[in-house]
Amino acid sequence: MAEKENEFRVSPGEAVGVVAAQSIGEPGTQMVLRSFHSAGISSVITTKGLPRIIEIVDARKKPKSPTMRIYMEPGIEKNYEKVRSIWRKVEEVLVSSVIDGFEEDLRTGTLMLKPSKEKLDQFEINQRTLVAKLSQKEGMNVTSDEGIVKIKVKGHEIKQIRTTFVNLLNTPVIGIHGITKALVQQDDDGAFYITTSGSNMEEVVKIDGVDKERVYSNDPFEVMRMYGIEAARALIAHELKETISEEGLDVSFRHLSLLADAMTYTGSIKSVGRHGISGEKKSVFARAAYEETVKHFTNASVFGEVDDLSGVAENILIGKQIGIGTGRVKLGISKADLKKIKGSD
Amino acid sequence: MARTPPLILKHELLSESEARKVAKEYGVTFDKFPKMLETDPQAVKLKAKSGQVVAVHRVDPTGKYMAYRYVVKS
């Protein structure tokens, strides 16, 4: 068995990075270039295809379509009512989406909201919650009547008052900031979970009943902040694999795993390219061979950088044997042995 | 979308002798290991200080294996 296992191992000196790059690059040419959004009511929109791959590999701080998957604690994951009540706490409902209209008086700084009974019922909230939420804001004087909420704002400048009004209308009444849409879905084993459009793990784990260890987000940076670098590495590899298989292509997981390893090697997420992995190489020649050749050479000469020619790119450049495969090993001889050979002839 | 994989993997703090054994097995010094920041949530959980080695029990489609990270100051 051990012998068999050894046969499948990669030999020392194998250029795994080059193989991985080619293995990902070739199927990549067949992927859709357009960022494609499928229409539908039931699904949360996600970026797919090549744009998503580029997004991950470039380590963008804000993904185009962040999404989360929230699992429940084992005790309540099959109880639809309980999951539904959690769902209510997740989806963000803005003040502007529960009112029929508003009137503003910029002279006196008052804003009159007309909460819609229908819309409030639809989100299962009442006027009192709305008023309570608005009263939390500083410098507000909120009075409430049947079907009307009056807010008096401090301040004199019209521009300032106007900004406050706009901010007020965009205040979430319930839900988590950034979650524009949330859906309750059911797994094959009967467990319910919530998928969202928009991601905010910090807030989600504060909700009771949510499995804090199992929240899944497709934003690597958010996962890194919450769960650490190893979780981010697992996420990057999985998201790449998932995106590629969705296109009906097949790339061995070990290549993607290697890419994820390279991106998270330093303990934080580095992008692939001139600002990340390639731009931080030690060798001047290796950096110059990639992008911005002249810039690297001038900087290197100004600061007196030394290249010890230990990498692959620099040795190809100067025509020396490269340190991969059989070129990796060197032959040595001890001084005593050398004398013996010399003595013999 | 298929079921998502668990993101949190089991982390384990290695003692100095264990860490040195691992380094010897791979024939490298600690600074050649992948790094993990001292401020990393998992490092904080294990109270790992810079200079220590954390073992990670990785589970992925290629199987189960161990990975190691060297804790460094951020």
Side-chain angles (χ1 to χ4, degrees), chain A residues 69 71 77 187 189 191 193 201 212-217 223-235 238-239 241-242 246 252-254 257 261 264-268, chain B residues 1-11 30-37 39-43 45 54-63 65 67-70 72-73:
Chain A
R69 205 179 251 233
Y71 295 99
E77 61 180 2
D187 244 335
D189 59 357
Y193 59 88
M201 286 171 92
K212 290 166 184 59
E213 307 272 277
R214 242 187 342 151
V215 180
Y216 184 92
S217 167
V223 169
M224 183 179 74
R225 278 199 300 276
M226 289 298 295
Y227 293 160
I229 193 69
E230 270 297 319
R233 195 207 80 95
L235 176 81
H238 176 260
E239 281 287 319
K241 176 77 186 165
E242 195 72 10
E246 249 170 43
S252 174
F253 188 79
R254 62 206 76 208
S257 184
D261 268 335
T264 56
Y265 176 81
T266 55
S268 57
Chain B
M1 205 158 104
R3 226 184 145 85
T4 55
L7 291 177
I8 299 186
L9 303 165
K10 196 182 154 205
H11 287 57
F30 288 145
D31 61 311
K32 296 284 194 304
F33 275 36
K35 317 279 187 299
M36 176 185 251
L37 302 181
T39 50
D40 191 277
Q42 300 301 328
K45 223 186 235 176
V54 172
V56 187
H57 296 249
R58 278 192 193 159
V59 183
D60 66 26
T62 59
Y65 59 101
Y68 303 91
R69 274 180 192 272
Y70 182 58
V72 291
K73 280 211 170 69

Side-chain angles (χ1 to χ4, degrees), chain A residues 73-329:
Chain A
E73 276 171 1
I76 59 160
E77 61 180 2
K78 291 193 178 159
N79 184 332
Y80 180 69
E81 288 307 315
K82 285 230 172 92
V83 176
R84 215 181 126 82
S85 75
I86 288 171
W87 167 68
R88 280 276 171 240
K89 292 179 195 158
V90 172
E91 195 176 59
E92 186 178 31
V93 178
L94 299 178
V95 172
S96 55
S97 53
V98 291
I99 55 170
D100 267 339
F102 62 90
E103 269 172 41
E104 49 187 356
D105 188 343
L106 292 172
R107 218 155 15 120
T108 54
T110 43
L111 180 69
M112 295 245 278
L113 299 174
K114 290 176 195 148
S116 152
K117 189 101 187 56
E118 265 169 53
K119 285 174 186 167
L120 283 171
D121 283 348
Q122 192 195 327
F123 295 113
E124 291 166 23
I125 34 180
N126 53 32
Q127 199 173 319
R128 238 180 302 141
T129 337
L130 177 66
V131 173
K133 192 80 200 176
L134 289 170
S135 309
Q136 278 172 18
K137 291 230 163 192
E138 247 178 80
M140 305 278 158
N141 187 0
V142 187
T143 44
S144 162
D145 263 327
E146 188 68 29
I148 237 157
V149 178
K150 213 169 167 184
I151 307 155
K152 197 156 167 20
V153 192
K154 278 181 198 153
H156 301 289
E157 269 178 73
I158 289 181
K159 199 180 162 195
Q160 191 196 338
I161 292 170
R162 177 79 187 131
T163 328
T164 323
F165 284 171
V166 174
N167 284 340
L168 270 175
L169 291 174
N170 285 324
T171 318
V173 186
I174 49 163
I176 292 166
H177 181 66
I179 314 293
T180 50
K181 197 174 170 188
L183 297 158
V184 180
Q185 289 182 319
Q186 194 171 21
D187 244 335
D188 298 335
D189 59 357
F192 292 99
Y193 59 88
I194 300 169
T195 46
T196 67
S197 223
S199 181
N200 191 342
M201 286 171 92
E202 272 100 344
E203 292 297 317
V204 164
V205 293
K206 286 182 193 160
I207 298 174
D208 277 336
V210 168
D211 191 336
K212 290 166 184 59
E213 307 272 277
R214 242 187 342 151
V215 180
Y216 184 92
S217 167
N218 72 350
D219 182 348
F221 282 93
E222 211 166 85
V223 169
M224 183 179 74
R225 278 199 300 276
M226 289 298 295
Y227 293 160
I229 193 69
E230 270 297 319
R233 195 207 80 95
L235 176 81
I236 290 171
H238 176 260
E239 281 287 319
L240 287 171
K241 176 77 186 165
E242 195 72 10
T243 314
I244 291 167
S245 357
E246 249 170 43
E247 298 277 316
L249 302 165
D250 191 27
V251 173
S252 174
F253 188 79
R254 62 206 76 208
H255 300 313
L256 307 168
S257 184
L258 182 73
L259 177 58
D261 268 335
M263 287 177 69
T264 56
Y265 176 81
T266 55
S268 57
I269 303 169
K270 285 264 136 63
S271 67
V272 180
R274 128 173 123 235
H275 302 292
I277 299 172
S278 301
E280 279 167 17
K281 278 183 186 162
K282 213 177 80 194
S283 161
V284 188
F285 284 121
R287 266 180 285 132
Y290 180 60
E291 265 173 15
E292 299 178 320
T293 310
V294 179
K295 192 185 112 186
H296 283 123
F297 279 138
T298 40
N299 277 345
S301 42
V302 169
F303 295 107
E305 274 184 66
V306 177
D307 197 319
D308 56 8
L309 303 176
S310 52
V312 175
E314 38 297 21
N315 283 315
I316 293 176
L317 212 78
I318 61 163
K320 235 174 73 182
Q321 186 178 45
I322 55 173
I324 58 166
T326 48
R328 183 88 215 161
V329 287

